[in-house]
Amino acid sequence: MAPLILTLVYASLAAAACPYAGGDLQARADASSPNAPTESFLSSFELNDDNSYLTSDVGGPIEDQQSLSAGERGPTLLEDFIFRQKIQRFDHERVPERAVHARGAGAHGTFTSYGDWSNLTAASFLAEKDKQTPMFVRFSTVAGSRGSADTARDVHGFATRFYTDEGNFDIVGNNIPVFFIQDAIQFPDLIHSVKPEPANEIPQAATAHDSAWDFFSSQPSALHTLFWAMAGNGIVRSFRHMDGFGVHTFRLVTDDGTSKLVKWHWKSLQGRASLVWEEAQIMAGKNGDAHRQDLFNAIEAGRYPEWELGVQIMEEEDQLRFGFDLLDPTKFVPEELVPVTPLGKMQLNLNPKNYFAETEQVMFQPGHIVRGVDFSDDPLLQGRIYSYLDTQLNRHGGPNFEQLPINRPRVPIHNNNRDGAAQMYIPLNPAAYSPNTLNPGANKQANQTVGNGFFTTPGRTTTGSLQRTKSSTFADVWSQPRLFFNSLIPVEQQFLINAMRFEVSHLQSAVVKSNVIMQLNRVSNDLAKRVALAVGVAAPDPDPTFYNNNSTTFVSVFNGTLARLDGLKVGVLTSSGGASATNTTSMMSSNSSSDAALIATLRSGLAQSNVDVITVGEFLADGINQTYSAADASGFDAVVVAPGAAPLLAANYTSTLFPAGRPAQILTSGYRWGKPIGLVGVGMGMGSMVMQGPGVYEYQSGGDVGGLVGDLVDGLKTFKFTDRFEVDA
């Protein structure tokens, strides 16, 4: 057991052997292995209340259901320490939520290196083929509060921690490879603008208001990230179905000091998928926890999501090679120019046992870095290195947050830090300073050649006078948004335009609206005119300075297919009387046997692809998973109508068991949102809507429906049938 692990005594934490008690930095490789199971590490901090009596915080058995009072009906006494402890402890349970990324979900996992990458980096976790490193990952939205909905349109955080055998390493990124601003000093301005209006705290987790678009149009460096967020990347199907990016340019450095510039990439092995806007809005109301629930359920079911970690590798002299500055965080490098080299794979395979203790208290920092990795001079990155530490100090109220179980490295620590609120160690070193002769000499200094320590890239240099200016190489902030827009398929461009129409139509300021159209016109006249049409602004003449025909094949979400279908859901609309051949209620349909056979075929066939079948009926019964009153198309990735549901789809069918028209609403919404549709014994015409074309599969009642399984598998891989969406003429 690692010497920094704590053991439990009488339901309290008691310090085991202190990590300050001795040891040599050179010996870190022989300390507790990061390959030790995460559960084993965390179990030492768990409190088990099985078959126990209630105790005070200091271990004395108590009862706490009634306050101590003077007489049966008298006042509560101040001396009631049990009451005071319980109430005061409750009053202090909440810590400040994150200023950004407050809404999130996390999971533990393992990173496995594909090979020995010592020719690229001195980082130990990449030094050996099949070497495994424990991880923790937190996904999030950015702008909304902790209680906001998962499917709000937003950039999504993708923060990963490696518990390496040389300390913790964090890649604190997003699901979009660029960011809104080029200098960290502008970050408060960005966040103040996108947060709710200060007068009324409206809108929550949304940018459809004046101050946000005032900033976006006044600070056009924001346009590129804005375009990604207005497209499918802002409303992902789930955390499992999005990529991650380190955003900034970093360095990888070998033991001998040779360095390369790199961009970090996490590529989802599930594939990428996104919702459509109306679907995301409705899901926010129907299930605000949809993304965290999806992640938790997938891991609980053993369908472990995976991502491949890769890097784009560039030479130091390539910083201006591609027509833009690699230090500019509003730019990305198209993969046609620099392919991504896969380094290893991350699998998330363990859910937190306590959300607050793990997901809420995990504290990521770009400054958590290890030997073999180094920073670049990106001014946004330089500011984040400071800011993330500072915000964690604010949230925790002191410097000892790294001692929390979720934040602790899986190796011993040795430093001269002392005291502070909530100090959990008992330091034994009497000489908490360097150099010293009393310890003797420990803790010794580690560097590139001694103690296997972190070192700054030897070749890094800087010159120039002190100045408060933006680099001239950062000036063009319109060409890459144009590249991104060009790279989307037409319907995807329409989604982006519709999102901007929605957002800008909420603005009250005519000046801001006009400025938005002016900035969009610098990217695309077609785009600007189509947005202007919907928001009452005159269509502008072209402003072609930055117009280009460049494109890349790697940014479209809707132009690919899913690689894995794990955890996708097919909703089967049936009748509670028809879902089971053994059901004998008065609502039994004459199609009960065919419904049961259909459902059995779908369950067994789709299970081969790890797809879940959810049966929907009027009320819960044998074979019914969900009621029509609780169901919605936003909860399914495909919809199938069984013969027994046909009467429920009629326009004149009413019931007190579900809102009027709900069965037909699920079907028509599923079709309008581009989902695969299966119709068994039901015509393609549903009221005023005719369902036809790709992704609509019609089978006869009582016939062989085995082919429907294959159709649904193919349809789910396509995920969205985009031919159903209107595109501007």
Side-chain angles (χ1 to χ4, degrees):
M1 181 177 292
L4 60 86
I5 294 179
L6 303 186
T7 55
L8 291 172
V9 180
Y10 296 110
S12 299
L13 293 176
C18 177
Y20 295 91
D24 193 311
L25 283 170
Q26 187 69 42
R28 284 184 300 177
D30 299 323
S32 176
S33 169
N35 300 328
T38 294
E39 284 185 293
S40 176
F41 175 82
L42 294 177
S43 66
S44 297
F45 304 96
E46 294 173 1
L47 294 174
N48 189 333
D49 291 335
D50 292 347
N51 195 30
S52 60
Y53 284 98
L54 189 70
T55 74
S56 68
D57 285 355
V58 292
I62 59 172
E63 61 174 338
D64 74 345
Q65 292 303 288
Q66 305 296 330
S67 299
L68 183 66
S69 62
E72 184 178 2
R73 300 177 61 248
T76 299
L77 300 181
L78 183 61
E79 76 171 59
D80 188 353
F81 73 95
I82 296 174
F83 165 78
R84 285 188 285 107
Q85 171 192 285
K86 186 175 182 180
I87 291 297
Q88 286 180 331
R89 187 63 180 77
F90 172 78
D91 291 343
H92 293 266
E93 282 183 357
R94 300 280 74 80
V95 299
E97 70 174 33
R98 290 168 169 85
V100 289
H101 298 276
R103 174 75 179 183
H108 297 274
T110 304
F111 175 80
T112 304
S113 177
Y114 285 161
D116 175 1
W117 300 103
S118 56
N119 64 328
L120 181 63
T121 176
S124 175
F125 76 99
L126 291 171
E128 180 183 335
K129 179 177 172 57
D130 295 328
K131 182 171 184 176
Q132 293 191 326
T133 300
M135 296 194 70
F136 189 81
V137 178
R138 186 177 185 272
F139 305 110
S140 58
T141 52
V142 175
S145 67
R146 185 179 169 191
S148 57
D150 284 345
T151 57
R153 184 184 293 279
D154 205 345
V155 177
H156 290 71
F158 198 119
T160 56
R161 169 167 296 165
F162 300 77
Y163 297 98
T164 85
D165 55 7
E166 292 185 324
N168 290 353
F169 171 50
D170 293 352
I171 301 177
V172 192
N174 290 326
N175 77 318
I176 292 173
V178 292
F179 200 62
F180 294 95
I181 54 177
Q182 297 167 314
D183 190 321
I185 202 170
Q186 299 167 338
F187 191 72
D189 304 303
L190 166 66
I191 300 306
H192 288 166
S193 75
V194 301
K195 286 291 188 179
E197 298 288 348
N200 54 20
E201 190 68 6
I202 297 173
Q204 178 58 243
T207 54
H209 57 103
D210 285 64
S211 63
W213 284 83
D214 187 26
F215 182 86
F216 298 152
S217 58
S218 302
Q219 183 59 262
S221 66
L223 288 173
H224 195 185
T225 303
L226 184 67
F227 273 47
W228 284 73
M230 292 294 112
N233 303 276
I235 45 174
V236 296
R237 190 273 178 198
S238 77
F239 295 137
R240 297 183 298 126
H241 294 95
M242 67 184 192
D243 288 347
F245 304 89
V247 178
H248 311 285
T249 297
F250 288 83
R251 285 180 168 89
L252 291 181
V253 193
T254 62
D255 281 323
D256 66 6
T258 302
S259 63
K260 303 285 187 182
L261 301 177
V262 298
K263 292 274 193 180
W264 296 106
H265 291 251
W266 289 107
K267 290 186 176 290
S268 171
L269 296 182
Q270 291 70 238
R272 291 180 298 160
S274 294
L275 307 174
V276 295
W277 180 225
E278 183 186 12
E279 179 185 17
Q281 289 176 296
I282 290 176
M283 185 177 287
K286 296 286 185 177
N287 183 5
D289 303 308
H291 288 168
R292 60 170 62 179
Q293 184 180 58
D294 174 89
L295 179 66
F296 188 94
N297 289 351
I299 294 173
E300 286 296 289
R303 299 164 178 169
Y304 303 136
E306 295 180 325
W307 288 259
E308 195 167 63
L309 176 66
V311 285
Q312 289 176 292
I313 305 170
M314 296 153 286
E315 301 295 335
E316 291 279 355
E317 56 268 24
D318 289 345
Q319 294 188 28
L320 300 177
R321 174 185 172 189
F322 305 109
F324 55 88
D325 196 330
L326 289 180
L327 301 184
D328 182 352
T330 69
K331 308 297 191 299
F332 76 105
V333 181
E335 292 183 39
E336 290 89 349
L337 298 180
V338 182
V340 174
T341 299
L343 301 180
K345 182 173 69 176
M346 172 178 71
Q347 180 188 82
L348 299 183
N349 48 32
L350 181 66
N351 279 317
K353 292 186 176 180
N354 184 281
Y355 180 91
F356 179 84
E358 297 167 76
T359 306
E360 188 65 18
Q361 289 198 132
V362 67
M363 298 181 181
F364 295 94
Q365 295 183 49
H368 284 161
I369 201 165
V370 292
R371 177 186 175 92
V373 184
D374 197 11
F375 307 111
S376 73
D377 296 335
D378 173 345
L380 178 60
L381 172 60
Q382 291 288 316
R384 291 180 74 206
I385 297 168
Y386 164 76
S387 178
Y388 276 66
L389 171 60
D390 191 49
T391 196
Q392 308 304 5
L393 290 169
N394 175 63
R395 292 190 70 226
H396 188 67
N400 291 318
F401 59 87
E402 302 283 22
Q403 298 177 13
L404 296 169
I406 192 63
N407 293 320
R408 290 188 180 197
R410 305 293 171 85
V411 293
I413 61 168
H414 304 278
N415 57 47
N416 293 329
N417 298 336
R418 288 295 183 268
D419 307 337
Q423 172 60 252
M424 288 182 258
Y425 295 138
I426 304 174
L428 301 181
N429 180 1
Y433 51 88
S434 296
N436 73 73
T437 61
L438 299 180
N439 201 35
N443 298 309
K444 294 175 283 188
Q445 302 294 307
N447 55 39
Q448 182 178 359
T449 59
V450 178
N452 208 40
F454 171 81
F455 61 96
T456 298
T457 305
R460 286 182 65 178
T461 60
T462 186
T463 59
S465 59
L466 303 185
Q467 49 189 292
R468 197 177 292 274
T469 60
K470 180 172 71 174
S471 172
S472 60
T473 58
F474 286 19
D476 176 7
V477 294
W478 298 278
S479 293
Q480 280 222 341
R482 171 88 177 197
L483 163 69
F484 176 78
F485 187 71
N486 290 345
S487 303
L488 305 180
I489 62 175
V491 72
E492 213 166 2
Q493 293 179 339
Q494 186 71 53
F495 290 158
L496 183 153
I497 289 166
N498 290 348
M500 289 188 172
R501 287 168 169 171
F502 172 88
E503 299 251 331
V504 179
S505 69
H506 284 78
L507 307 186
Q508 303 302 308
S509 169
V511 172
V512 174
K513 288 181 185 178
S514 178
N515 287 344
V516 168
I517 300 304
M518 177 188 69
Q519 294 293 353
L520 296 182
N521 193 40
R522 293 178 177 176
V523 176
S524 165
N525 181 246
D526 174 62
L527 165 66
K529 289 192 297 184
R530 290 160 74 180
V531 175
L533 174 67
V535 299
V537 176
D541 294 327
D543 185 358
T545 303
F546 300 98
Y547 293 175
N548 62 75
N549 295 319
N550 298 332
S551 63
T552 174
T553 60
F554 294 93
V555 301
S556 173
V557 174
F558 291 91
N559 199 27
T561 58
L562 293 180
R564 301 177 184 176
L565 304 182
D566 296 357
L568 297 192
K569 294 177 172 56
V570 174
V572 179
L573 309 188
T574 181
S575 170
S576 296
S580 170
T582 62
N583 194 315
T584 56
T585 68
S586 60
M587 298 184 67
M588 176 174 285
S589 164
S590 61
N591 295 301
S592 60
S593 60
S594 59
D595 279 23
L598 169 65
I599 292 167
T601 298
L602 293 178
R603 284 196 194 281
S604 62
L606 293 173
Q608 304 303 311
S609 299
N610 288 328
V611 174
D612 295 326
V613 172
I614 309 298
T615 52
V616 186
E618 302 93 321
F619 53 86
L620 296 178
D622 183 24
I624 297 294
N625 306 119
Q626 198 173 70
T627 65
Y628 282 108
S629 65
D632 185 82
S634 61
F636 307 125
D637 300 291
V639 177
V640 173
V641 181
L648 310 182
L649 300 174
N652 61 351
Y653 188 93
T654 60
S655 172
T656 59
L657 292 173
F658 51 79
R662 173 60 59 79
Q665 179 190 54
I666 295 172
L667 177 59
T668 56
S669 293
Y671 179 79
R672 288 191 302 106
W673 297 341
K675 300 174 188 284
I677 300 294
L679 303 173
V680 181
V682 181
M684 289 186 176
M686 294 293 148
S688 61
M689 177 173 289
V690 176
M691 299 184 184
Q692 58 186 5
V696 178
Y697 315 112
E698 186 177 21
Y699 284 79
Q700 297 300 315
S701 177
D704 181 9
V705 295
L708 181 57
V709 171
D711 288 338
L712 289 172
V713 167
D714 291 340
L716 289 169
K717 288 179 179 178
T718 301
F719 196 69
K720 294 292 187 189
F721 289 88
T722 55
D723 60 296
R724 300 179 199 165
F725 299 93
E726 294 293 328
V727 176
D728 293 336

